[in-house]
Amino acid sequence: MPKMNFIDADGNNKEVDAPLGLSVLEIAHKNKIDLEGACEGSLACSTCHVIVEENFFDQLEEASEDEEDMLDLAFGLTHTSRLGCQIIITEEMDGLTVKLPAATRNMMVDV
Ligand code: FES
């Protein structure tokens, strides 16, 4: 089974199983990774925002216009940002590494 890595905002790496056909968001939830996903994958939020490692980013299918629109609202957007619910695991993605952005949650605390 493919594996993938989540790097949290503090830089800690967690390797987890990445079953084919599951989204990064679903895998995060299975493994109690702190990725929100408020709309459960219906492209109506940006809380599942992850930053994809450069070499995997190029292998992903391009983001749809709806995804781009949501990403524009994401906090801490980077040029390899994607929505976790839109990244589906394939064989080629074994070893995928994504970073969790420095939490939207903190933003609320700061206000
Ligand atoms: Fe809302 Fe991904 S969970 S867009």
Side-chain angles (χ1 to χ4, degrees):
M1 167 164 352
K3 300 265 187 200
M4 67 164 293
N5 299 285
F6 287 94
I7 302 176
D8 71 16
D10 296 326
N12 301 314
N13 187 44
K14 186 167 180 191
E15 190 187 57
V16 298
D17 287 338
L20 295 177
L22 282 197
S23 71
V24 166
L25 178 67
E26 288 166 318
I27 294 168
H29 285 176
K30 260 177 167 313
N31 292 284
K32 312 226 174 326
I33 306 268
D34 198 11
L35 185 62
E36 203 175 308
C39 77
E40 287 171 7
S42 49
L43 273 181
C45 74
S46 58
T47 57
C48 63
H49 170 208
V50 294
I51 299 161
V52 181
E53 205 182 51
E54 199 104 12
N55 41 348
F56 281 100
F57 185 77
D58 296 337
Q59 292 182 30
L60 297 178
E61 297 215 355
E62 285 202 16
S64 65
E65 220 164 287
D66 288 344
E67 183 179 348
E68 297 282 1
D69 287 349
M70 277 301 146
L71 274 172
D72 282 342
L73 306 174
F75 179 70
L77 188 70
T78 75
H79 72 284
T80 62
S81 288
R82 291 296 301 261
L83 294 178
C85 65
Q86 301 301 306
I87 305 175
I88 307 296
I89 299 298
T90 61
E91 296 275 3
E92 294 73 48
M93 276 154 68
D94 188 21
L96 171 71
T97 301
V98 302
K99 249 199 250 171
L100 306 180
T104 36
R105 222 151 286 177
N106 291 347
M107 191 168 72
M108 291 180 186
V109 176
D110 289 345
V111 182

